[in-house]
Amino acid sequence: MKRILGLLAIILFCPLLVTSSLAGDITVTDPWVREAPPGAKATAAYMTISNTSSRTVQLDSAASADFGMIEMHRTEMHDGMAHMKKQTGIRIEAGKNVQLKPGDFHLMLMQPHRSLKAGDQCALQLRFDNGESIAVQALVRKQ
Amino acid sequence: MRCSFTTENSMSTIVNSGWRIGLIITISMALAVTGAFLLRKPVLHIDVPGARILSPPVRVPPFSLLDQKGQLFSNERLAGNWTLATVGFTYCPDICPTTLSEMSAVFKKMETVSGAFKMPRFVFFSVDPFRDTPEVLEKYLAYFRRDFIGVTGAPEAIQSFANELGLHYVYSDPEDGQLVDGVLQKPAIEDYAVIHATSVVFITPTGEMVATMAPPFKTDEVVSVFEKLRTHYGN
């Protein structure tokens, strides 16, 4: 009986673990991918990355089986103009978190291999300079 | 004696009437000034962060572009209704879909409160005509809202239209941020980025740009700015 309850608990809590991947010093919460409007050649992924370690960690790269290319970008506003700056990495200071959000840091997802619709899941692999590689299941949504 | 009296009397009449005329003129002028002061259009103040009233307004220059059906889109298409507009490009993964989603929420809200006024139209002016053909814009805009209008056209026509309205844009290499010289030719870089103005502009039914607003576009703030503009400038 205990075993069955234990199994049940694992099954129930599994979805929570999927949306918030925990691996060592780095935690990714609330990952989501913007559903690409028809005709759009690129879309973006957003999330909050927390670094609980005592040293700065950098996101070095991201990959997904659903996209041919993923780059790290940041939208910056200067004099009312939006500039998109490619980032060589996204630094997360010790004990801090960085939000990837609309109008700021984001992963630019290019060359889609399949059309992702709101409600779909998109698997992303994030690699950090401390050697951690985190698998993230991001929910596809409209906004 | 009588004569001199008469003369004195008529003199005093002249002096008297001159004084009266002066008084009448002074009073009329004071009334005119007060009237003009009372009847003048009050100065419009909008207390919303990011919203800016253009004084004087900017007249939309004559333009000739294409809508998402490939039909001519020129000044006449801005007549009769208010227009909310922005510039952007469909290859934009972050700012443009965010703005369009926000504007579709604004229009949804306007529908629920629009009883007293005509719904404005929304126009997305592409500043990337090399990739944004009418077909691309048609599918892209309909995703956000069926009645959103997508506009593209000849690079020269887009450049002069955008510049006249102060909605600037330039192409760049996303690798190093290097700007590309000129916007009349398709940049040689693959996946070039477009640096562009992010404001939403408000154009009256008579074709005058009277206000701009900067992102983020909070539904209630945009609706309130529009209501104030519409009340001030008329429908």
Side-chain angles (χ1 to χ4, degrees):
Chain A
M1 187 64 191
K2 262 187 182 171
R3 261 187 209 161
I4 295 167
L5 278 178
L7 205 66
L8 205 64
I10 289 168
I11 292 165
L12 284 174
F13 287 103
C14 234
L16 293 178
L17 293 175
V18 169
T19 49
S20 157
S21 310
L22 300 163
D25 296 330
I26 301 160
T27 319
V28 173
T29 45
D30 218 11
W32 66 283
V33 167
R34 182 195 301 283
E35 182 185 48
K41 305 282 187 303
T43 189
Y46 307 100
M47 64 197 73
T48 300
I49 307 173
S50 308
N51 173 11
T52 53
S53 79
S54 53
R55 67 170 205 94
T56 299
V57 170
Q58 178 171 291
L59 172 63
D60 274 344
S61 68
S64 169
D66 294 327
F67 295 91
M69 185 157 69
I70 299 183
E71 289 179 355
M72 291 168 283
H73 284 236
R74 186 178 203 181
T75 301
E76 288 176 16
M77 297 290 285
H78 300 293
D79 299 326
M81 309 262 286
H83 295 242
M84 200 168 67
K85 294 268 171 71
K86 189 178 168 180
Q87 310 286 306
T88 51
I90 296 175
R91 288 161 64 83
I92 308 112
E93 284 176 42
K96 297 272 171 65
N97 67 60
V98 167
Q99 275 192 296
L100 278 63
K101 59 177 195 286
D104 203 329
F105 285 116
H106 55 273
L107 301 180
M108 183 166 173
L109 315 176
M110 291 167 281
Q111 302 165 9
H113 292 155
R114 67 177 178 121
S115 154
L116 292 167
K117 295 280 158 233
D120 287 351
Q121 294 281 340
C122 170
L124 294 161
Q125 195 70 34
L126 309 178
R127 286 181 197 88
F128 295 85
D129 69 348
N130 66 348
E132 278 191 49
S133 180
I134 300 183
V136 174
Q137 284 289 338
L139 178 68
V140 179
R141 50 179 227 238
K142 289 199 170 204
Q143 175 75 339
Chain B
M1 192 60 187
R2 203 185 158 195
C3 201
S4 92
F5 177 80
T6 314
T7 314
E8 229 169 67
N9 198 21
S10 59
M11 275 299 285
S12 91
T13 310
I14 289 163
V15 170
N16 229 355
S17 69
W19 183 80
R20 270 189 205 148
I21 289 166
L23 187 69
I24 288 165
I25 290 172
T26 312
I27 290 171
S28 327
M29 278 171 70
L31 281 175
V33 169
T34 315
F37 182 78
L38 289 175
L39 289 175
R40 86 197 197 290
K41 254 193 172 168
V43 177
L44 180 60
H45 287 293
I46 292 187
D47 208 9
V48 171
R52 198 163 67 91
I53 302 299
L54 302 179
S55 185
V58 177
R59 175 143 286 281
V60 176
F63 66 88
S64 182
L65 296 162
L66 291 175
D67 71 10
Q68 75 270 43
K69 306 264 182 221
Q71 306 285 316
L72 176 70
F73 192 89
S74 59
N75 300 68
E76 295 79 59
R77 296 280 295 274
L78 296 183
N81 268 355
W82 277 81
T83 304
L84 274 62
T86 191
V87 298
F89 65 117
T90 67
Y91 207 91
C92 174
D94 185 43
I95 279 284
C96 298
T98 302
T99 296
L100 287 165
S101 292
E102 288 169 338
M103 293 316 292
S104 87
V106 166
F107 274 65
K108 203 170 176 185
K109 171 83 180 187
M110 279 180 179
E111 275 177 334
T112 67
V113 293
S114 74
F117 62 86
K118 270 204 277 183
M119 280 290 286
R121 62 172 78 83
F122 182 81
V123 186
F124 178 82
F125 287 96
S126 170
V127 286
D128 186 10
F130 311 107
R131 293 185 291 204
D132 291 343
T133 59
E135 301 76 48
V136 168
L137 286 175
E138 182 170 31
K139 279 191 276 176
Y140 185 81
L141 268 301
Y143 171 82
F144 295 99
R145 220 182 121 92
R146 284 263 153 227
D147 57 4
F148 279 5
I149 301 166
V151 172
T152 184
E156 294 78 9
I158 291 171
Q159 182 195 36
S160 81
F161 175 82
N163 282 352
E164 293 260 3
L165 294 185
L167 298 169
H168 300 294
Y169 65 102
V170 60
Y171 302 135
S172 76
D173 184 344
E175 290 297 318
D176 53 11
Q178 278 283 327
L179 303 185
V180 175
D181 210 14
V183 291
L184 300 182
Q185 258 120 48
K186 183 175 182 172
I189 309 149
E190 202 188 349
D191 298 337
Y192 59 91
V194 185
I195 296 169
H196 62 91
T198 52
S199 302
V200 161
V201 303
F202 297 80
I203 300 168
T204 67
T206 53
E208 296 215 300
M209 182 168 93
V210 293
T212 68
M213 202 170 169
F217 302 107
K218 297 200 177 105
T219 302
D220 290 343
E221 288 181 355
V222 181
V223 173
S224 127
V225 166
F226 177 67
E227 293 242 330
K228 284 195 178 117
L229 291 171
R230 197 187 48 79
T231 308
H232 186 79
Y233 293 99
N235 219 342

